[in-house]
Amino acid sequence: MVDVDKVLDEAGLTNPHVREFVTYWAGITGADRIEVVSADDDARLLQESLDAGELLPVTGGLYYSRSYYKDTARSEERTVVATSDPADKGVYNNWKPAEETVATLTERMTGASAGKTMYVIPYLMSPPGSPLEAFAAGVELTDSRPVVQQMIRMSRVGVDYINNLAEPASFVRAVHVTGDLPNLGQGTASDQRLFATVADQRTILHYGSSYGGNALLGKIAHGLRQAMYDGWKNAFLGEQFMLLGIVDKQTGKKYHVAGGFPSASGKTNLSMTLAPDVLGDRYYVEFYGDDIAWLWHDEASGKIYAFNPEFGVFGVAKDTNEATNPGALDSIQAGSGAIFTNVAYNEKTQEVWWEGRTKHHPDDLDGWLDWKGERIADRIEDELKEPWAHPNSRFTTTLANVPNIAEDYDDPRGVPVDAIIFGGRTRDREPLIRAITDLAEGVYDGLTLGAEATFAAEGVDGQLRYDPMSNRPFMAYGEGDYARHWLDVIGQASDQPIFAHVNWFQRDPEDGHFRWPGYRDNLRALLWLVQFKNGEVKGNVTPVGVIPTQDELNLEGMTISQEDLDAILTIDVDRWKQEIGFREEHLNQFDRLPEEIWEAHRRVAAALEEA
Ligand code: GTP
Ligand code: SPV
Ligand code: MN
């Protein structure tokens, strides 16, 4: 049995509630050793992982890891939110009673870390000193060293964050036990994995994975699911949002845009975007966050404020290259300390590669291993077309490595939000951008965000589904209550953000090409939105919002066919009428959906009938 007190004393971990929590779970999991970590331990832990072969070296002081081949994405089916109030059950949160969930997980975790080290990671999901700091402290226990290295990049890690809490007992208790990955029955009827956020106990228990979204508990489980629940009870919003600033050098003004796009649908790309060359003299984009934002009403200014609770980026590798996202490449260059997961790796040259990194894969196959560790040169005919990297392969790097990081990204006061945008992968119907000026219609738009699912979750790629506010996989409570909470939080602001719906993914039904070039050009749509909010352009009023006219959208230096432009700046009324029927079914599933949302729905439906 480990002498827990001795380890905690030596680490200077004094918070008695944390000590009690660590002692309890050390007993359950049966770990052989306990180690308290801080960000300063990073170099030593990396060396230990290299020595143990858990990490492989990448040229330039970077790192490579491979996760078990059945463990490469979030598992939505195995993820639950548990509370002791059945009224918290929603359509998407996989609600379970707290007591039985804790009992099941305690049983699965019993003795499951035997022979391993249990790392104690005290962390903070917030810039220190923020108004929401009371909800940001947590302690993750994990039996995986690579999880520690990732957490050190993704959150602020050190004992001081939990020793000096205003309320010493108020921290998220997060336990991660990897389990015996080859014997968990992933995807079968006897799947042993279970990922639970016991929201009303502020406890997170995840068993059976070492992949990011399932294992970095500060990020998705705390930063999103738990924050969403805490926000409901404490007047803030925890959302899967990117957060960026647009600086207009000519006027000296700065605008902040928060945006919810489903997983692997462009948040990282947009928040790191470079202005198109022709607009670069006047505008630039500043990065605040690419995956999570917490939003609240700031009484002093009457505005909605936001910050990014994370400390790093866990970005999709696929298609990241000099043209699509030079900022991301910059953030993972030599010296950044970045960690790659499940991309292709060359064991001789220690290089990495993923689909879309370059137009063609490297010609010389010598030394290249695919994401499963199999030699590419040995592939038989049938396997040649298979990707080298997993489609959900990722890179992990700290915010400070992002070249367009905003100077005030760490400011605990956050930044005022001028616009909230929603968007997903939608091959038809959704125009490039439609602005929405009414709060209820904006919230209604978020609730009815429909998109094609991606490889960020197991087994659902390409499927069309509704994804409220892009939070479907992270929903903590019922959708009707969630809508009410959104109306209440944003409704408090006297100076409210404008809403908009964007779509970079409309396709030509004939040959499937994207009608809008996307990436850097997406800034053009956001600039129009800012101008519209400022009253500088009027747009075309349609039943589903205001769309830019072709003259208003700045298309200088850009190539797009007239046919594509026409398609993305118009509304297909018949297709939208059909959509209204689907939305009605979708919204009808939700208990206690506010009347304001139904009114918004009926207003849009009636306007379409008249169109
Ligand atoms: P999560 O980290 O899973 O929450 O994803 P994310 O929303 O941050 O997604 P990300 O920005 O990493 O983009 C995922 C994929 O979408 C990448 O393969 C991008 O290349 C692609 N993508 C991003 N923006 C655009 C765009 O404007 N047009 C097109 N066609 N693809 C895009
Ligand atoms: C997502 O899937 O939305 C992510 C990555 O941001 S993960 O950490 O895997 O959830
Ligand atoms: Mn995400």
Side-chain angles (χ1 to χ4, degrees):
M1 196 52 207
V2 202
D3 187 344
V4 181
D5 279 323
K6 183 159 168 267
V7 174
L8 300 181
D9 285 344
E10 280 169 10
L13 198 160
T14 55
N15 182 322
H17 302 276
V18 176
R19 294 176 70 107
E20 196 185 319
F21 162 68
V22 175
T23 307
Y24 176 76
W25 285 99
I28 304 272
T29 61
D32 280 14
R33 291 166 298 279
I34 295 190
E35 193 184 313
V36 180
V37 295
S38 79
D40 297 339
D41 295 313
D42 192 45
R44 175 181 55 82
L45 292 166
L46 289 165
Q47 192 55 53
E48 288 175 13
S49 284
L50 289 170
D51 295 344
E54 285 162 356
L55 286 182
L56 299 173
V58 174
T59 51
L62 312 178
Y63 305 90
Y64 176 67
S65 78
R66 212 175 266 136
S67 69
Y68 179 62
Y69 78 103
K70 290 182 184 170
D71 185 32
T72 55
R74 279 182 295 98
S75 171
E76 294 183 1
E77 263 181 36
R78 305 299 306 157
T79 303
V80 307
V81 171
T83 68
S84 44
D85 185 356
D88 293 340
K89 181 175 166 55
V91 174
Y92 299 125
N93 68 348
N94 291 338
W95 183 85
K96 292 276 182 296
E99 205 176 330
E100 70 171 60
T101 305
V102 173
T104 303
L105 275 154
T106 305
E107 196 189 309
R108 293 211 180 143
M109 289 178 174
T110 297
S113 302
K116 297 186 176 181
T117 299
M118 186 175 94
Y119 297 93
V120 178
I121 314 173
Y123 66 82
L124 189 70
M125 297 302 291
S126 142
S130 85
L132 300 180
E133 194 178 275
F135 308 101
V139 178
E140 173 167 359
L141 309 179
T142 178
D143 59 10
S144 160
R145 188 163 36 201
V147 164
V148 179
Q149 292 141 2
Q150 305 251 2
M151 277 292 286
I152 286 175
R153 283 158 182 71
M154 297 305 298
S155 64
R156 294 159 176 91
V157 173
V159 289
D160 290 346
Y161 295 121
I162 44 101
N163 274 345
N164 308 314
L165 296 175
E167 300 232 21
S170 175
F171 60 94
V172 167
R173 291 154 171 80
V175 186
H176 166 246
V177 172
T178 306
D180 183 15
L181 295 174
N183 292 299
L184 296 176
Q186 289 94 338
T188 69
S190 58
D191 201 325
Q192 293 298 297
R193 301 172 299 167
L194 189 56
F195 310 115
T197 297
V198 191
D200 55 357
Q201 296 179 24
R202 306 194 76 226
T203 295
I204 296 165
L205 304 174
H206 280 208
Y207 174 76
S209 167
S210 66
Y211 164 77
N214 302 323
L216 311 177
L217 303 186
K219 181 177 175 55
I220 299 292
H222 179 170
L224 281 172
R225 284 188 203 95
Q226 183 66 52
M228 190 173 173
Y229 187 88
D230 288 343
W232 182 33
K233 306 288 175 182
N234 297 279
F236 70 97
L237 296 166
E239 302 292 321
Q240 189 191 208
F241 278 5
M242 62 92 217
L243 182 63
L244 59 77
I246 301 174
V247 180
D248 181 340
K249 289 186 257 185
Q250 195 167 308
T251 61
K253 289 213 174 109
K254 185 165 172 187
Y255 304 93
H256 298 99
V257 181
F261 309 168
S263 302
S265 299
K267 293 181 301 297
T268 304
N269 278 267
L270 189 64
S271 50
M272 290 187 187
T273 208
L274 268 181
D277 286 334
V278 289
L279 302 177
D281 285 343
R282 177 157 178 195
Y283 301 103
Y284 65 91
V285 173
E286 289 193 338
F287 177 96
Y288 287 90
D290 75 323
D291 199 45
I292 306 180
W294 292 4
L295 297 84
W296 71 98
H297 171 237
D298 172 64
E299 294 203 3
S301 63
K303 294 183 185 201
I304 297 300
Y305 267 66
F307 66 71
N308 169 17
E310 301 197 87
F311 193 61
V313 173
F314 184 57
V316 176
K318 186 171 160 35
D319 287 331
T320 303
N321 59 51
E322 278 83 1
T324 58
N325 196 346
L329 285 186
D330 233 338
S331 76
I332 55 180
Q333 66 182 332
S336 63
I339 302 174
F340 297 91
T341 306
N342 294 339
V343 298
Y345 177 75
N346 190 307
E347 57 182 351
K348 293 191 176 157
T349 62
Q350 304 185 338
E351 291 169 292
V352 288
W353 188 83
W354 51 86
E355 273 63 30
R357 171 71 188 83
T358 47
K359 218 171 190 149
H360 300 287
H361 61 65
D363 290 330
D364 184 0
L365 304 188
D366 191 34
W368 281 104
L369 306 175
D370 68 13
W371 66 273
K372 289 183 185 167
E374 285 163 10
R375 281 167 49 83
I376 306 267
D378 292 349
R379 284 187 166 185
I380 54 166
E381 189 69 31
D382 288 1
E383 297 165 343
L384 289 178
K385 282 225 163 74
E386 283 172 27
W388 288 25
H390 188 278
N392 189 43
S393 55
R394 301 225 167 210
F395 56 83
T396 315
T397 193
T398 53
L399 296 183
N401 287 325
V402 177
N404 66 325
I405 187 82
E407 208 187 325
D408 57 345
Y409 84 94
D410 217 8
D411 189 332
R413 290 169 302 182
V415 293
V417 177
D418 299 287
I420 295 177
I421 63 178
F422 297 113
R425 292 173 180 265
T426 321
R427 60 183 63 233
D428 70 349
R429 183 177 54 80
E430 279 296 356
L432 178 67
I433 183 166
R434 45 188 179 85
I436 299 164
T437 49
D438 174 77
L439 169 60
E441 284 179 27
V443 175
Y444 164 72
D445 184 71
L447 290 172
T448 53
L449 170 57
E452 292 151 34
T454 67
F455 282 109
E458 290 169 354
V460 293
D461 183 56
Q463 192 179 305
L464 263 173
R465 55 181 201 170
Y466 286 108
D467 189 337
M469 272 79 172
S470 80
N471 248 349
R472 172 181 174 137
F474 317 114
M475 204 62 87
Y477 57 99
E479 293 75 10
D481 297 328
Y482 179 55
R484 176 77 266 152
H485 187 56
W486 257 86
L487 293 170
D488 290 347
V489 172
I490 311 285
Q492 278 180 296
S494 53
D495 185 356
Q496 292 177 10
I498 190 170
F499 285 87
H501 198 107
V502 300
N503 182 22
W504 323 137
F505 298 94
Q506 197 175 139
R507 290 178 190 256
D508 182 332
E510 305 275 291
D511 64 7
H513 80 265
F514 288 111
R515 290 191 182 276
W516 174 252
Y519 298 105
R520 293 171 68 172
D521 290 311
N522 295 337
L523 183 64
R524 300 171 191 270
L526 300 189
L527 289 173
W528 175 84
L529 181 64
V530 165
Q531 287 182 312
F532 177 73
K533 193 183 185 205
N534 287 344
E536 294 156 24
V537 292
K538 293 274 168 279
N540 278 326
V541 179
T542 82
V544 292
V546 183
I547 294 180
T549 66
Q550 299 199 0
D551 307 335
E552 289 168 356
L553 199 62
N554 185 338
L555 299 174
E556 205 188 326
M558 195 186 125
T559 340
I560 183 169
S561 75
Q562 190 58 45
E563 187 196 336
D564 285 341
L565 191 61
D566 291 341
I568 62 171
L569 294 182
T570 47
I571 296 290
D572 177 345
V573 174
D574 290 333
R575 183 67 187 76
W576 269 96
K577 283 185 184 164
Q578 180 194 32
E579 169 66 13
I580 288 292
F582 300 149
R583 288 185 172 187
E584 193 135 331
E585 271 174 51
H586 166 64
L587 296 177
N588 259 321
Q589 305 173 90
F590 303 152
D591 292 332
R592 300 183 290 280
L593 191 69
E595 186 51 29
E596 292 99 306
I597 301 297
W598 281 120
E599 280 165 11
H601 174 70
R602 287 194 290 267
R603 268 200 308 279
V604 172
L608 281 164
E609 285 306 321
E610 275 166 34

